[in-house]
Amino acid sequence: MCLAVPGKVLDIEERDGTRMATVDFGGVVKEVCLEYVPDLRVGEYAIVHVGFALQRLDEESARHTLALFEELGLLQEEFGDPWEAAADRGGDGAVAAGAPAAGSADGVTEASR
């Protein structure tokens, strides 16, 4: 599942002509592209989906949403380690969502090419 998750902008820098930010999602810190919300500033919150800030969000709404996601276990599902999740399932051989297929660096096996 891919969620749009609220996060707080910790810092902003330009990399190769693209505005990028370090964003805190309730303790998980990720790099996020700010090109869709170019006026976002440090200390503000944004809704982030697949690495892109999509919309500014007020702090109260962001904190409330993060608390709900945490309570429901959605933050761990969204940001957790897929290999750890597979191990927790008892090594049933299933590939966790977002993890590359076994024997392949890009998730595409020779049989599926």
Side-chain angles (χ1 to χ4, degrees):
M1 176 189 313
C2 285
L3 299 172
V5 180
K8 182 178 183 178
V9 177
L10 301 177
D11 68 24
I12 297 173
E13 65 181 55
E14 187 170 317
R15 275 192 241 139
D16 299 320
T18 302
R19 280 190 85 217
M20 298 293 291
T22 303
V23 177
D24 179 6
F25 301 95
V28 176
V29 177
K30 299 277 187 176
E31 295 297 310
V32 172
C33 178
L34 299 182
E35 291 299 305
Y36 295 137
V37 191
D39 60 339
L40 200 62
R41 295 180 298 206
V42 171
E44 292 185 314
Y45 288 79
I47 297 290
V48 177
H49 180 63
V50 294
F52 289 87
L54 301 177
Q55 177 180 329
R56 181 177 282 103
L57 185 65
D58 65 275
E59 183 174 357
E60 182 181 345
S61 296
R63 289 183 181 274
H64 179 72
T65 302
L66 283 169
L68 287 173
F69 282 5
E70 179 68 29
E71 183 179 321
L72 296 170
L74 295 175
L75 287 179
Q76 179 60 29
E77 182 178 321
E78 186 69 11
F79 295 121
D81 180 349
W83 301 112
E84 184 180 311
D88 289 346
R89 288 194 306 268
D92 62 6
V95 176
S104 166
D106 63 1
V108 178
T109 61
E110 287 300 318
S112 65
R113 290 182 199 247

